[in-house]
Amino acid sequence: LLRRFATTGAPPTIAAVATDGGTALTASADRPLVLWDIGTGLALWRSSAPGRPTTALALGPRGSIGLSAGDDQRLLLWTPAR
């Protein structure tokens, strides 16, 4: 085990790791998206995804941009503010 992340609410059901390995984006059934600093385990950004629960995630380098998709057939592009 390298790192434990302190989550609240429903546990994450899907995750994506940035290509540089420094950040991860998670989503859970109750729809919050969370951007994590992998080195510290701290949440850098949180947001609620509208619509149905997220079923797919992608994350760009350094967590600069994220993409989420759900059963509602929508793709959402995110630019997490830190």
Side-chain angles (χ1 to χ4, degrees):
L1 178 67
L2 296 175
R3 172 83 49 215
R4 213 177 272 275
F5 298 87
T7 61
T8 59
T13 55
I14 191 165
V17 176
T19 55
D20 68 355
T23 53
L25 184 64
T26 61
S28 58
D30 54 359
R31 293 195 282 287
L33 296 174
V34 182
L35 181 67
W36 300 94
D37 181 305
I38 291 177
T40 65
L42 297 175
L44 301 173
W45 172 84
R46 295 176 193 271
S47 184
S48 292
R52 296 188 180 202
T54 301
T55 57
L57 290 173
L59 189 59
R62 298 174 309 282
S64 58
I65 194 164
L67 183 71
S68 65
D71 288 337
D72 56 2
Q73 299 180 341
R74 294 193 307 177
L75 295 173
L76 301 174
L77 189 61
W78 302 87
T79 52
R82 296 190 216 170

